[in-house]
């Protein structure tokens, strides 16, 4: 590389930023080769790990830029010296070279100095080597993380009916958080969504990118001239020729050779029907369930558009419980009824902050991607309708966990020793769990490897280990109920009728987390050992929930 190619005012700035883009493109292209499979997007805990990685890379990059500036200053001085020699030589080249001192200096520069210049520039290669070391020893996202983060934004946008300009401005439900997205953030997201066949969303994000680029067009100077060609072609294919024309004019103004923009101009002027224009076939990650009435109601409940009427709430009450433990008479438990049939209650002020921190500390090192039972019958599998990480803790691992179980017994009267280990979950970017039931529809799925745990899950208790600023409610589509996480409280309901048939009215889901980190602890207590505590009724009582078995 010739020294004069890396100096100069605007030209030097463009080359420097192209170098930075190349560095991160190099990093990105190597990320996917990692054998690490941590699914960082599934939990805030995982995202914190990536933040630590970026902090280290930022320090590396700052150090490199500092050294690069010193090198450029040194090279500019050398260029000035050489330029003066060439100016002198241009007056009379033969006379200049006839001077043995000048001849020696020329030899010395070409044999010694230029090698030194190359070594200075070779620091770029050293930076690449450093990045290789970082990839071996630090955590980097994979392609799935990158794609799922884009899907999460779309999920949040549609669940909470947010507009693209709002999200790009850092506003969530009217509240401003942090910094705006840049025009390049919007553009890259639009390109991602196009390749995921989310064509309508592609159009909105590219439109927002163009609007932001027009407000600060000088920023284009730092990027390669062909950076905007692909998204412009996407806009043409999507039938948005107006925005494509705006982008074409920007490209034509900054594109030095104009070859790419000429192709785009032909596309815009063509009257040919393009394959993606007007496409509205949904997204490649959508299923038939996302178009059902049940899922539509679930979204409305998450947004707070559907709630119980005053008439439906009139028989609900709050009361104290102390019957199952004599000590509780001195400090009774606070219980709030949320639904009578099926029973859904919330127990207030159960966990202390100290206990919560202990649980999170024990669980954090063991968090793995949450799974669901595979529909193919091949055990458990990952699926994007459940985005979180979880860990299982035995109650005897700490006295605080045993106290949790004891308190649950004292409130409900159930034999909580017939419970599965505590499942601790942390929800990440747009983390959610679409509507499902907690009981097992197939007896073959009953856990048989746990002592004292027999039969189906008779009840669910969700211990809320954090508040959530926005979103993250536990929503029951058939009960018109959304329970916002309240740190230290416990949400409780029965999954089974007294006949021990599954109660499909308890179908519930975790609304996407819009802002915050959602931590919960799940305790599933089983029917074995509860015969005298919650006995069967004299008549079948499960028919009432049968209409909800296949209701969609």
């Amino acid at each position: 590389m010739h020294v004069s190619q890396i100096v100069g005012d605007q030209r030097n700035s463009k080359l420097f930023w192209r170098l930075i883009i190349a560095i991160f493109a190099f990093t990105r292209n190597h990320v996917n080769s990692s054998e690490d499979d941590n699914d960082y997007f599934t939990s805030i805990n995982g995202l914190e790990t990536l933040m630590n990685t970026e902090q280290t890379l930022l320090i590396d990059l700052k150090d490199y830029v500092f050294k690069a500036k010193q090198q450029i200053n040194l090279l500019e001085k050398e260029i000035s010296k050489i330029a003066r020699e060439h100016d002198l030589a241009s007056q009379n080249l033969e006379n200049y070279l006839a001077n043995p001192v000048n001849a020696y200096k020329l030899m010395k520069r070409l044999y010694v100095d230029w090698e030194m210049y190359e070594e200075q520039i070779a620091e770029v290669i050293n930076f690449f080597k450093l990045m290789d070391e970082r990839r071996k020893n630090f955590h980097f996202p994979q392609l799935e993380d990158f794609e799922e983060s884009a899907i999460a934004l779309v999920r949040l946008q549609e669940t909470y009916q947010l507009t693209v300009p709002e999200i790009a401005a850092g506003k969530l439900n009217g509240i401003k958080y942090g910094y705006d997205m840049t025009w390049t953030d919007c553009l890259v997201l639009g390109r991602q969504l196009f390749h995921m066949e989310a064509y309508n969303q592609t159009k909105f994000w590219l439109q927002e990118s163009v609007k932001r680029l027009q407000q600060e067009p000088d920023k284009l100077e730092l990027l390669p001239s062909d950076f905007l060609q692909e998204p412009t072609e996407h806009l043409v294919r999507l039938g948005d020729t107006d925005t494509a024309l705006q982008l074409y004019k920007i490209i034509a103004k900054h594109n030095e050779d104009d070859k790419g923009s000429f192709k785009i101009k032909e596309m815009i002027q063509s009257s040919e029907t393009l394959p993606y224009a007007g496409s509205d076939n949904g997204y490649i990650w959508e299923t038939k369930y996302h178009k059902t009435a049940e899922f539509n109601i679930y979204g409305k409940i998450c947004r707070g558009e559907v709630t119980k009427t005053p008439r439906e709430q009139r028989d609900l009450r709050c009361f104290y419980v102390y019957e199952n433990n004599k000590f509780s008479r001195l400090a009774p438990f606070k219980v709030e009824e949320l639904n009578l049939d099926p029973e859904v209650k919330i127990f207030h002020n159960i966990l202390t902050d100290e206990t919560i921190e202990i649980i999170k500390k024990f669980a954090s090192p063991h968090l793995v991607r949450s799974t669901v039972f595979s529909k193919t019958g091949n055990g458990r599998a990952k699926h994007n309708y459940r985005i979180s990480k979880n860990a299982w803790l035995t109650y005897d691992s700490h006295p605080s966990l045993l106290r949790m179980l004891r308190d649950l017994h004292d409130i409900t009267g159930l034999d909580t020793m017939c419970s599965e280990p505590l499942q601790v979950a942390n929800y990440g970017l747009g983390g959610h769990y679409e509507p499902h039931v907690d009981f097992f529809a197939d007896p073959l799925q009953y856990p048989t490897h746990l002592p004292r745990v027999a039969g189906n899950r008779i009840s669910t208790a969700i211990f809320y280990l954090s508040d959530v600023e926005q979103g993250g409610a536990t929503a029951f589509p058939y009960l018109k109920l959304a329970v916002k996480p309240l740190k230290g409280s416990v949400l409780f309901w029965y999954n089974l009728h007294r006949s021990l048939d599954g109660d499909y009215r308890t179908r519930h889901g975790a609304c996407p987390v819009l802002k915050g980190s959602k931590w919960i602890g799940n305790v599933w207590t089983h029917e074995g050992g509860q015969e005298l505590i919650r006995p069967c009724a004299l008549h079948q009582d499960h028919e009432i929930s049968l209409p909800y078995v296949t209701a969609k």
Side-chain angles (χ1 to χ4, degrees), residues 258-539:
D258 206 38
K259 293 179 181 177
S261 58
F262 179 76
K263 174 186 176 184
I264 295 171
K265 185 177 181 180
E266 281 189 326
M267 291 180 65
I268 295 174
Q269 293 174 339
S270 173
S271 59
E272 178 184 355
T273 301
L274 297 165
Y276 305 106
S279 177
D280 189 20
N281 298 321
Y283 312 134
I284 57 176
W285 62 83
E286 280 191 324
T287 65
K288 292 181 180 179
Y289 176 64
H290 294 122
K291 301 183 184 299
T292 62
E294 179 186 282
F295 190 78
N296 182 49
I297 295 173
Y298 162 70
K300 289 182 178 180
I301 290 177
C302 288
R303 293 190 294 273
E305 295 175 5
V306 175
T307 58
K308 290 183 180 294
T309 65
R311 181 181 179 85
E312 291 170 326
Q313 297 181 56
R314 67 182 183 181
D315 295 327
L316 300 176
R317 62 194 180 97
C318 296
F319 55 91
Y320 290 105
V321 168
Y322 51 80
E323 292 88 352
N324 300 310
N325 187 318
K326 293 180 180 180
F327 179 76
S328 299
R329 290 183 176 274
L330 300 177
F333 296 101
K334 301 174 183 177
V335 181
E336 178 184 354
E337 291 179 334
L338 303 178
N339 198 79
L340 296 180
D341 186 21
E343 289 183 55
V344 182
K345 302 173 182 177
I346 189 163
F347 311 143
H348 292 277
N349 303 325
I350 302 301
L351 296 180
T352 64
D353 289 345
E354 180 183 4
T355 297
I356 289 172
E357 290 308 311
I358 289 171
I359 295 170
K360 291 164 66 174
K361 179 182 178 180
F362 270 69
S364 292
H366 307 290
L367 290 172
V368 295
R369 173 77 178 271
S370 299
T371 58
V372 296
F373 276 100
S374 173
K375 294 180 179 179
T376 61
N378 296 323
R380 303 189 68 88
K382 299 176 183 179
H383 202 288
N384 63 8
Y385 64 72
R386 186 185 189 186
I387 301 298
S388 65
K389 283 189 174 182
N390 67 59
W392 297 87
L393 301 178
T394 58
Y395 299 103
D396 58 5
S397 60
H398 195 277
S400 294
L401 302 187
L402 289 173
R403 283 196 294 270
M404 287 175 59
L405 213 55
R406 182 198 65 196
D407 289 343
L408 188 58
H409 161 72
D410 290 345
I411 303 173
T412 65
L414 293 173
D415 182 355
T416 51
M417 297 308 293
C418 302
S419 302
E420 297 176 35
L422 176 68
Q423 184 196 69
V424 180
N426 180 221
Y427 291 77
L429 177 61
H432 73 136
Y433 193 173
E434 290 179 6
H436 60 282
V437 291
D438 279 357
F439 61 83
F440 299 109
D442 184 355
L444 294 177
Q445 296 175 342
Y446 293 172
T448 58
H449 62 288
L450 300 172
R452 295 202 61 183
V453 174
N456 213 337
R457 291 171 172 172
I458 193 172
S459 67
T460 293
I462 299 179
F463 288 75
Y464 290 119
L465 308 179
S466 68
D467 295 314
V468 178
E469 196 164 344
Q470 290 199 58
T474 305
F476 296 79
Y478 298 138
L479 306 182
K480 299 182 183 179
L481 185 62
V483 183
K484 184 177 176 62
L486 181 62
K487 186 178 181 181
S489 64
V490 181
L491 178 64
F492 176 86
W493 69 89
Y494 285 106
N495 294 303
L496 306 179
H497 292 281
R498 286 185 175 271
S499 62
L500 300 183
D501 293 289
D503 192 338
Y504 287 88
R505 296 171 299 171
T506 62
R507 195 169 179 85
H508 63 285
C511 298
V513 175
L514 183 57
K515 173 64 170 66
S517 178
K518 180 180 177 181
W519 285 84
I520 63 171
N522 294 312
V523 176
W524 289 295
T525 301
H526 284 248
E527 65 183 75
Q530 318 296 340
E531 295 85 356
L532 301 179
I533 299 171
R534 191 175 186 255
C536 294
L538 298 177
H539 56 83

Side-chain angles (χ1 to χ4, degrees), residues 40-52 389 428-429:
Y40 298 104
F41 68 95
T42 58
S43 74
I44 294 297
N45 190 266
L47 294 173
E48 288 175 354
T49 301
L50 296 184
M51 197 69 181
N52 292 334
K389 283 189 174 182
L429 177 61

Side-chain angles (χ1 to χ4, degrees), residues 46-286:
L47 294 173
E48 288 175 354
T49 301
L50 296 184
M51 197 69 181
N52 292 334
T53 293
E54 189 173 53
Q55 181 64 30
T56 301
L57 296 183
L58 182 62
I59 294 171
D60 292 339
L61 188 57
K62 283 182 178 179
D63 182 60
Y64 171 76
V65 170
F66 175 76
K67 292 179 180 177
K69 287 180 178 178
Q70 290 183 317
Q71 292 166 351
I72 288 175
N73 290 335
L74 174 63
L75 294 173
E76 284 180 334
K77 292 178 182 178
E78 294 298 316
I79 288 172
S80 296
K81 292 179 183 178
I82 298 172
R84 285 197 297 270
E85 293 286 342
H86 280 247
D87 288 341
L88 180 62
S90 64
Q91 298 174 12
N92 188 330
L93 181 60
E94 184 178 357
N95 184 57
Y96 174 84
L97 294 176
N99 185 331
V101 174
N102 292 341
Y104 175 79
K105 289 168 68 177
L106 173 62
M107 294 290 185
K108 177 257 185 183
R109 287 198 301 271
L110 290 174
Y111 190 78
V112 177
D113 293 357
W114 280 95
E115 185 174 339
M116 179 187 69
Y117 304 151
E118 291 174 8
E119 290 176 356
Q120 292 289 327
I121 298 170
E123 285 296 323
V124 175
I125 307 302
N126 292 336
F127 187 82
F128 284 152
K129 291 179 180 178
L130 176 61
M131 291 299 295
D132 275 332
E133 288 300 316
R134 295 304 191 207
R135 274 188 295 278
K136 293 175 183 176
N137 300 303
F138 283 78
H139 297 271
F140 282 81
Q142 299 188 44
L143 177 61
E144 183 185 14
D145 294 290
F146 186 49
E147 291 180 343
E148 288 289 345
S149 65
I151 294 172
L153 282 180
V154 175
R155 181 188 307 126
L156 291 171
Q157 181 183 343
E158 297 200 337
T159 301
Y160 298 106
Q161 296 187 344
L162 308 174
T163 66
V164 167
E166 282 180 319
I167 298 176
K171 292 182 179 179
L172 303 177
N173 280 336
I175 301 176
K176 174 77 171 179
Y177 297 102
Y179 297 105
D180 291 16
M181 294 177 70
T182 65
W183 72 268
T184 51
D185 292 335
C186 299
L187 181 134
V188 171
L189 179 55
R191 283 167 44 168
Q192 268 186 283
L193 294 173
F194 182 88
H195 292 296
M196 294 179 186
E197 301 177 15
Y199 300 126
N200 288 334
Q201 292 294 341
T202 295
K203 187 188 301 184
F204 294 137
W205 281 103
L206 292 183
Q207 288 171 349
E208 183 65 23
S209 176
V210 173
K211 184 179 79 172
R212 290 175 176 269
L213 176 58
Q214 289 175 327
Q215 294 170 356
E216 299 181 81
D218 292 342
K219 289 188 175 181
L220 188 62
E221 296 289 349
L222 304 178
L223 296 167
S225 58
D226 60 351
F227 189 73
L228 297 177
Q229 290 182 16
E230 182 186 350
T232 308
E233 293 175 13
H234 293 341
L235 285 166
V236 177
R237 291 191 172 97
L238 293 169
D240 187 2
T241 54
D242 290 339
T243 306
L245 185 59
Q246 295 175 42
L247 206 47
Y248 160 74
K249 290 178 180 178
I250 295 173
I251 294 173
K253 179 179 178 181
H254 294 281
N255 196 346
E256 297 173 359
D257 55 26
D258 206 38
K259 293 179 181 177
S261 58
F262 179 76
K263 174 186 176 184
I264 295 171
K265 185 177 181 180
E266 281 189 326
M267 291 180 65
I268 295 174
Q269 293 174 339
S270 173
S271 59
E272 178 184 355
T273 301
L274 297 165
Y276 305 106
S279 177
D280 189 20
N281 298 321
Y283 312 134
I284 57 176
W285 62 83
E286 280 191 324

